[in-house]
Amino acid sequence: MHFFRKNLGDNASFTYRKNRLLVYDIVRKNKRLSKADIARITGMTPMTAGNIIRDLTEMGFIQSVGSEATGGRKAVLYGLQYSGWSIAVDLSSDEILVALVDINGVIAELRRYNTDGQDGTRMLLLINSLSDFINSVVKAKDYHVVGIGVAIPGLVDDEAGVVTLSLPLEWKDVPLRAVLEQAFSYPIAIGKETHAAIVGEYYFGAAEPRNALYVNLGAGIGVGIMLDGRIHDGDNKMAGELGHIIVEPDGPLCECGNRGCLERVASLRALLNQAKQAAQNGSSGALAAMYKEKGGLNVRDLIAAFEAGDEAAGEIMRTGARHLAHALLILKRLFDPPVIVIGGNDLEEERFYCQEVLRFVRKFSGILDTGTDIAFSKLGEKARLYGASTWVFDHLFQEALESRAD
């Protein structure tokens, strides 16, 4: 999706590139299309569609993938292909996820690198994780890698390759692309985690329409915004920072410096922190017993206490769900999308919590709140990996297109 923000040149050059970008995009979205399908969807003539298919085939991005019968004749079907793999990286959790992904979203390898309690900065841990993956997977199994895409929690200037601010990673104005290009001999693409997620869901998951929102629910709460098939990130790259709207002015202190931000009261991490407090201060007998037995708690423990009727656990879940429901309705009324996708890392934990959220959404909905489906992610943590991988292939496609247009 990064290439949609680039200058495509003068009128003739613009049309040439725009049409080829369009065909590349709709073939990726639809997986298998005939020349007639491409002409119908784009409004091009069959001859123009055929010329572009020929160009993309010569560029190495499209190939015939079969045929289908249409009125007695067999039409050739085309799909994306590229003779190389991307390395996709997700930095949005306590683990570093690294995967080998092809242009069609096939994941050949996926590894998790634990950072909790590990020595070294997050940058050093990232470089070490990538080095291990490249040595033990890419080189050991002779994969042809064409680039690395990295999804990052925080504010990212993807064109400059700089992480302007990431509170979870404690990074500010970090030239990540330049650092990784010095460490590894591959092209590097970086972007915001929620942008990666909405792109992954758009091409491979539940965000099928060209207008959609993706609400990432985990340690924080963020939104990926897609309008007319393009990522909307705002002039200052801050669009979608839903987790930092203030819902309790006198609430807990947030990393951003404000009090009562949404993600401090309604994210999964916030619920878990509240559950631990309830266990330690004795306000929840069920959670206190679990904490004593296990020496810690996870979100599943909170859910179990809630299902068992524990009053404190119920209040934690209901308060968080109520705040998140209000936020979802605000998003619906601001953007009026056909679908809002909720996703993150652990679909089962999120799904149970979000059933409570949806109960409050229904309770608070008025006559204005129609026409928007709220769907759960089909991909979970893989959405960000898919999205990060598309950045790599988009970059390669843009380079090949510019070379061909010159």
Side-chain angles (χ1 to χ4, degrees), residues 333-355:
R333 292 167 188 174
L334 285 175
F335 293 99
D336 191 26
V339 64
I340 298 175
V341 180
I342 301 176
N345 289 338
D346 193 318
L347 290 179
E348 291 309 311
E349 290 179 359
E350 290 152 8
R351 193 178 297 273
F352 186 93
Y353 175 43
C354 286
Q355 294 300 335

Side-chain angles (χ1 to χ4, degrees), residues 96-261:
I96 295 175
L97 269 62
V98 186
L100 202 63
V101 190
D102 77 359
I103 199 169
N104 289 303
V106 174
I107 296 179
E109 302 277 351
L110 172 61
R111 292 200 176 177
R112 303 170 186 274
Y113 294 90
N114 184 26
T115 63
D116 189 27
Q118 300 294 311
D119 293 332
T121 65
R122 193 60 178 260
M123 181 66 76
L124 180 60
L125 294 172
L126 169 60
I127 291 173
N128 288 343
S129 299
L130 274 170
S131 296
D132 177 78
F133 188 84
I134 289 168
N135 289 326
S136 62
V137 174
V138 175
K139 293 182 178 179
K141 299 183 180 180
D142 198 27
Y143 284 106
H144 174 50
V145 167
V146 293
I148 300 173
V150 187
I152 301 149
L155 308 182
V156 181
D157 185 337
D158 56 86
E159 294 183 354
V162 175
V163 180
T164 54
L165 181 64
S166 174
L167 296 176
L169 301 179
E170 299 181 344
W171 287 355
K172 181 175 172 57
D173 296 328
V174 174
L176 181 61
R177 185 171 64 201
V179 171
L180 294 181
E181 284 178 344
Q182 287 184 341
F184 305 103
S185 58
Y186 300 111
I188 307 294
I190 72 169
K192 194 173 183 178
E193 60 163 346
T194 49
H195 293 175
I198 187 67
V199 170
E201 289 288 347
Y202 175 68
Y203 287 117
F204 305 106
E208 295 181 4
R210 289 173 62 81
N211 295 294
L213 303 180
Y214 177 94
V215 177
N216 186 64
L217 179 60
I221 299 173
V223 181
I225 304 167
M226 179 174 286
L227 302 177
D228 194 25
R230 302 186 183 190
I231 292 297
H232 175 72
D233 57 2
D235 285 350
N236 299 298
K237 312 294 184 181
M238 288 188 61
E241 290 296 317
L242 184 69
H244 293 290
I245 63 170
I246 297 172
V247 296
E248 289 186 1
D250 298 321
L253 183 65
C254 182
E255 295 167 310
C256 74
N258 287 318
R259 286 192 173 274
C261 289

Side-chain angles (χ1 to χ4, degrees), residues 4 11 16-17 21 26-27 61 106 126 128 146 149 183 201 243 249 278 284 312 353 359 365 375 387 395:
F4 282 116
N11 289 341
Y16 177 90
R17 299 179 191 200
L21 286 169
I26 66 167
V27 172
F61 283 89
V106 174
L126 169 60
N128 288 343
V146 293
E201 289 288 347
S284 168
Y353 175 43
R359 185 172 69 83
S365 291
H395 173 75

Side-chain angles (χ1 to χ4, degrees), residues 300 302-310 313 352:
R300 289 186 180 88
L302 174 61
I303 292 171
F306 172 75
E307 289 184 308
D310 184 87
F352 186 93

